[in-house]
């Protein structure tokens, strides 16, 4: 009876130790005497003691931080780049049979691929087209990890570090570009102003009365708001003597302006 009880206890302990519970996101790759069995899980998995060996495989997406890598771009600029890769296991059997540790292997492959991709692009492309570089790196990793049963979903370039001297050069380049745009905009404004002045001159020259009205409007604008100086614009050709005109015309105009209390560029004293 003692032997029967001992054997029963050993069988019970072995049965209990051979029971595994897998979560919804886990799968079990079971080897029986070295031969792989069909995939199991999730839920309750029963193993034969001393004959079965189980390997748990997590099917969730893993965020892999790629350590900072130093590389030289195609235009010979040293950079230091770090990134993050998101991958998951899509075939648990191959992830166990084809590679020793799929997470470590994917990390090493991501580091070497990152340096290789950076060397094929210029610094400007690296700074302005991170999304496109991430897609290129993701495709390279996905093609190489596919035999391992691993799917790389996304690769994002987190940070790009460049030498301080190169940063100053980029800042000077950006400043020169802004100055160039400012000069171009200023020149375009001058061209538009000249065109508008030409159109205004044509409109005013079509009717002498329009010129006189413009003179009066200018007089009102300059003499308003309590100013003490009145400037009256006089056409340049008005004081000029014409053939057959009296030589006293300029003096008469000056006398008339003095009598009316208006002088060109002269300050009017308050009474």
């Amino acid at each position: 009876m003692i032997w029967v009880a001992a054997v029963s206890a050993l069988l019970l302990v072995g049965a209990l130790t051979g029971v595994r519970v897998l979560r919804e996101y886990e799968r079990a790759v079971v080897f029986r005497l070295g031969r792989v069995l069909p995939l199991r899980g999730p839920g309750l998995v029963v193993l034969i003691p001393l004959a079965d060996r189980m390997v748990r495989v997590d099917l969730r997406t893993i965020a892999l931080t790629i350590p900072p890598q130093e590389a030289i771009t195609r235009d010979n600029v040293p950079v230091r780049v770090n990134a993050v890769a998101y991958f998951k296991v899509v075939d648990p059997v191959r992830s166990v049979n084809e590679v020793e540790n799929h997470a470590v292997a994917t990390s090493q492959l991501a580091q070497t691929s990152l340096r290789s991709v950076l060397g094929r692009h210029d610094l400007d492309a690296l700074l302005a087209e991170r999304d496109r570089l991430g897609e290129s790196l993701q495709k390279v990793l996905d093609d190489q990890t596919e035999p391992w049963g691993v799917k790389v979903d996304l690769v994002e370039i987190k940070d790009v570090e460049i030498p301080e001297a190169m940063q100053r050069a980029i800042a000077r380049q950006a400043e020169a570009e802004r100055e160039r745009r400012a000069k171009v905009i200023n020149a375009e404004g001058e061209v538009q102003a000249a065109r508008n002045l030409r159109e205004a001159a044509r409109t005013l020259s079509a009717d002498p009365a329009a010129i006189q009205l413009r003179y009066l409007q200018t007089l009102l604008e300059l003499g308003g708001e309590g100013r003490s100086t009145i400037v009256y614009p006089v056409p340049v050709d008005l004081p000029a003597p014409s053939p057959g005109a009296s030589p006293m015309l300029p003096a008469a105009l000056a006398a008339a302006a003095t009598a009316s209390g208006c002088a060109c560029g002269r300050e009017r004293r308050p009474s």
Side-chain angles (χ1 to χ4, degrees):
M1 295 297 293
I2 298 176
W3 289 100
V4 173
V7 171
S8 301
L10 290 176
L11 292 177
L12 180 60
V13 172
L16 293 177
T17 56
V19 176
R20 300 290 189 274
V21 177
L22 300 181
R23 298 180 178 88
E24 185 66 30
Y25 54 83
E26 292 179 333
R27 297 296 183 270
V29 179
V30 180
F31 295 89
R32 178 167 295 171
L33 299 178
R35 301 295 297 272
V36 64
L37 299 180
L39 191 65
R40 298 184 183 182
L44 187 65
V45 177
V46 179
L47 304 177
I48 299 177
L50 304 178
D52 294 345
R53 186 178 67 89
M54 187 188 74
V55 178
R56 292 175 182 262
V57 180
D58 196 332
L59 301 184
R60 293 177 296 180
T61 299
I62 300 174
L64 173 65
T65 300
I66 304 176
Q69 302 296 313
E70 296 183 356
I72 298 179
T73 60
R74 190 171 61 178
D75 51 351
N76 297 326
V77 177
V79 294
R80 184 181 177 88
V81 180
N82 59 348
V84 58
Y86 299 89
F87 69 94
K88 61 182 177 181
V89 176
V90 295
D91 191 339
V93 176
R94 284 196 296 173
S95 69
V96 175
N97 289 333
E98 300 297 335
V99 62
E100 180 181 2
N101 190 325
H102 65 273
V104 175
T106 303
S107 175
Q108 296 297 324
L109 181 62
Q111 297 177 35
T112 56
S113 299
L114 179 60
R115 291 193 294 267
S116 177
V117 171
L118 294 178
R120 296 197 297 264
H121 295 83
D122 297 334
L123 178 62
D124 294 339
L126 178 60
L127 297 176
E129 302 177 1
R130 295 189 183 184
D131 295 339
R132 187 172 64 85
L133 293 180
E135 293 176 359
S136 177
L137 183 58
Q138 181 266 335
K139 187 177 183 303
V140 172
L141 291 177
D142 193 30
D143 293 340
Q144 299 185 17
T145 58
E146 192 273 336
W148 304 341
V150 175
K151 171 67 177 177
V152 179
D153 295 326
L154 181 65
V155 177
E156 289 287 345
I157 297 178
K158 296 173 57 178
D159 189 20
V160 178
E161 299 180 6
I162 58 178
E164 185 177 355
M166 184 59 63
Q167 295 180 12
R168 291 194 297 267
I170 294 176
R172 290 195 300 268
Q173 179 183 1
E175 183 179 359
E177 179 66 20
R178 294 190 183 94
E179 291 180 355
R180 182 187 68 84
R181 294 179 182 177
K183 291 180 180 179
V184 170
I185 294 174
N186 189 19
E188 291 178 354
E190 294 292 339
V191 171
Q192 294 178 3
R195 291 176 181 174
N196 293 335
L197 289 175
R198 183 179 61 183
E199 295 296 331
R202 291 178 179 177
T203 302
L204 293 175
S205 62
D207 191 354
I211 301 178
Q212 186 65 24
L213 292 175
R214 183 58 182 160
Y215 288 161
L216 295 176
Q217 183 180 3
T218 304
L219 179 62
L220 292 176
E221 293 176 355
L222 296 178
E225 300 180 359
R227 297 178 182 177
S228 61
T229 302
I230 298 178
V231 179
Y232 185 78
V234 178
V236 178
D237 57 347
L238 182 60
S242 60
S246 174
M248 299 300 294
L249 180 59
L253 290 175
T258 304
S260 62
C262 299
C264 180
R266 182 176 301 172
E267 184 177 3
R268 184 176 62 186
R269 300 291 183 180
S271 58

